Amino acid sequence: MAERAVSRVSRRSVLKRTAAGVAVAGGLATLPGWALAATELSSHETDSPADATVPTPPLVAYVRDASKGEIALLVGDQEIVCKNPSLVARLLSAVRAA
Amino acid sequence: MSSHREAPAIANDPVADNTDLYAFVSPDAPDTVTIIANYIPLEEPAGGPNFHQFGDDVLYEIMIDNDGDGVENVTYQFRFTTQVQNPNTFLCNTGPITSLTDPAWNIRQVYSVTKVVGPRRRGPATVLGTSLACPPVHIGPRSTPNYAALASAAVHTLPTGEKVFAGQREEAFNVDLGSVFDLGALRPFDDAHLINLTGPQTPRDATKGYNVHTIAIQVPKRHLTRDGSSPTDPSDPKSVIGIWASASRQKARVLEAGPDLVQNAGPWVQVSRLGNPLINEVIIPLGKKDFWNSQHPKDDAQFAQYYTAPELQVLLPVLYPGVFPNLATNPSRPDLVAILLTGIPGGIIGGFQNFTGPTQADMLRLNMAIAPSSSPSPFGLLGGDLAGFPNGRRVFDNVVAIELRAIAGVTLPLVNPGYTPDAAAALLTDGTTNDVAPLAAFPYLGHPHQGYEHSHD
């Protein structure tokens, strides 16, 4: 019979890193400023370099409404909707160029 | 499985598929209500090497509405965690499992219970219990030699007085799926069907020998009423609660080749729900089934048309020519709206009401002031048993026969005295029975069939 190991492996280990409220709050605070604002931003603000501090993965971003320039960010059990028409336009261009 | 694989999306997600919901005044503890929510349809007992279990990435919930607006006032949330003691073996167990802490038991699940007061995504939440053990699945005589003891050890009493169990149970619902979905045939009446087969056939319970995964909770009645009182008057609106269960997944799922193959992110999105039996199964049309699963009971007025003019009512006279001449007039069905969407008001059935108000919502409606019956009828209210379906739902209530007879017109005279049901309406049944008796105590559903030896015949 297989030897009994002492260590435990939890399939939820990844979810635990993302689902805890405190972790999510801390992760949110390290998001780039454009992601926290719900208002439309000017193009120069959206071109700021990526923040080196990122929330614990996964962070999923998707274009929620291209016509409105809306991007939704999914992290932990939260959804944050922000507007960034410039970024959406660049994403759509990348898709067309692919 | 009064709701199983009933919608296109959930048919491919058995771990999140609500199959049955039961709610009744506990017969051996009548100051409490037992609510049972089942998941994973047609669960084959011989399920190794990775036996069936709850989803670690699914949010399972049981909701109670005690003020009739179709919005939950109390929610019990269940989250599961799989624990693998030794990932270096393929074995679920390395020897006989004799206790819930037996080192031979390799793949285990534990769970937490959280109570939310008010809307389930906004109300204050209190964790009632953590690391509560599920029992192992019933593998066989070598691996789980004393299964009853293992299951008994997995009944937990929470500090706030609720009793909980989460694990594998025997499938208590019986139905001749093979015949019912072969153009609406009921084997006892095969000779009357439009496509006549050679004489009546012996009914076959398609769920025989299968298991489910059950979340059961027994709650003091006063925890569920709107004012904390213990209900004693069946005519009091406060005695009635609405109940439904659901399963939700996070909005995004990311698959990445590597040690963490699956990662989830985002808010919870409801992918399955269940109040009354058989609604999404045979009342809601195909094009709306996935949508129905995502919706909240408070918005169920949008589906009322399928209750007032059920498709099955049109089909029965076609499938059984000459048998349902009165039903063939296709009468409007406010009785079905009352029974299934608002509850039955007082004054229609002597000594009974389970009316929650004008808000149309699909919920099991339980009048907690009506005591368990000393001579229960599997036909519930139709059998003169006020403690049976649609007053909540007990494990042994024959909801297939009850709803078939109701849709065939038996209940229409309650609101339309001028309608005479066809004689055949009161006889409808698929002819099946469950061959395993329920337990006399919590969690009431029978012990699961073992993988080593079981039969579906």
Side-chain angles (χ1 to χ4, degrees), chain B residues 72-426:
Chain B
E72 62 278 5
N73 300 101
V74 176
T75 299
Y76 291 98
Q77 299 178 326
F78 299 80
R79 294 296 313 278
F80 293 83
T81 303
T82 297
Q83 297 173 336
V84 178
Q85 311 304 303
N86 177 13
N88 297 313
T89 177
F90 70 91
L91 293 168
C92 170
N93 58 294
T94 56
I97 303 170
T98 58
S99 75
L100 298 185
T101 56
D102 196 317
W105 185 17
N106 192 26
I107 305 176
R108 312 177 187 185
Q109 263 194 330
V110 296
Y111 63 102
S112 65
V113 183
T114 301
K115 180 178 179 179
V116 181
V117 176
R120 59 183 176 172
R121 298 288 175 265
R122 299 196 305 273
T126 304
V127 177
L128 303 183
T130 59
S131 296
L132 302 169
C134 300
V137 296
H138 196 176
I139 301 171
R142 297 181 179 89
S143 297
T144 49
N146 187 354
Y147 193 80
L150 293 171
S152 178
V155 174
H156 307 283
T157 299
L158 303 176
T160 42
E162 295 92 343
K163 196 182 289 187
V164 291
F165 171 92
Q168 193 182 57
R169 290 282 93 189
E170 189 265 340
E171 171 61 82
F173 182 73
N174 51 275
V175 62
D176 190 345
L177 280 179
S179 184
V180 166
F181 289 105
D182 186 10
L183 290 181
L186 302 171
R187 282 187 225 253
F189 311 106
D190 259 354
D191 56 350
H193 194 274
L194 177 68
I195 302 175
N196 184 284
L197 301 180
T198 49
Q201 310 270 333
T202 303
R204 299 178 194 176
D205 178 15
T207 69
K208 181 180 178 181
Y210 287 99
N211 294 325
V212 286
H213 261 63
T214 293
I215 294 173
I217 186 166
Q218 190 169 83
V219 187
K221 289 178 180 176
R222 64 185 187 281
H223 288 196
L224 301 176
T225 52
R226 65 185 77 163
D227 61 358
S229 61
S230 291
T232 56
D233 180 5
S235 66
D236 188 345
K238 289 185 298 183
S239 296
V240 180
I241 54 174
I243 306 142
W244 71 100
S246 71
S248 299
R249 288 189 173 280
Q250 289 183 273
K251 195 163 190 174
R253 189 182 203 211
V254 178
L255 301 179
E256 187 82 57
D260 293 321
L261 177 64
V262 180
Q263 300 181 68
N264 300 283
W268 295 100
V269 178
Q270 185 176 289
V271 297
S272 178
R273 65 155 164 150
L274 180 55
N276 283 297
L278 299 167
I279 299 302
N280 208 17
E281 196 102 343
V282 300
I283 299 292
I284 307 301
L286 196 59
K288 294 281 179 70
K289 288 180 183 292
D290 287 338
F291 175 67
W292 188 92
N293 266 331
S294 74
Q295 295 298 285
H296 196 283
K298 67 178 176 57
D299 299 317
D300 278 341
Q302 62 183 315
F303 303 109
Q305 61 182 307
Y306 305 116
Y307 295 73
T308 57
E311 181 182 6
L312 192 53
Q313 173 172 278
V314 175
L315 290 175
L316 279 172
V318 174
L319 294 173
Y320 293 92
V323 177
F324 299 100
N326 296 340
L327 191 66
T329 63
N330 203 19
S332 179
R333 302 304 304 270
D335 58 316
L336 297 180
V337 173
I339 293 168
L340 300 169
L341 283 177
T342 64
I344 301 171
I348 295 180
I349 298 173
F352 179 78
Q353 65 90 14
N354 67 346
F355 187 63
T356 53
T359 299
Q360 295 176 337
D362 177 62
M363 306 186 290
L364 269 185
R365 288 174 171 80
L366 177 66
N367 188 322
M368 297 186 287
I370 293 177
S373 174
S374 56
S375 301
S377 166
F379 299 105
L381 224 55
L382 287 186
D385 182 355
L386 302 187
F389 181 77
N391 183 17
R393 180 188 172 191
R394 300 166 302 191
V395 172
F396 53 82
D397 283 333
N398 189 339
V399 295
V400 172
I402 294 169
E403 290 204 5
L404 273 175
R405 295 176 186 188
I407 292 173
V410 163
T411 52
L412 186 50
L414 291 173
V415 298
N416 181 358
Y419 179 81
T420 303
D422 300 297

Side-chain angles (χ1 to χ4, degrees), chain A residues 52-96:
Chain A
T53 307
V54 295
T56 307
L59 165 65
V60 178
Y62 73 98
V63 177
R64 188 167 180 259
D65 189 331
S67 65
K68 296 179 183 176
E70 283 185 357
I71 295 175
L73 306 176
L74 308 177
V75 61
D77 62 356
Q78 306 292 311
E79 178 170 3
I80 305 141
V81 180
C82 54
K83 283 190 177 182
N84 195 321
S86 160
L87 176 57
V88 170
R90 293 206 303 269
L91 290 171
L92 293 177
S93 294
V95 170
R96 283 189 286 269

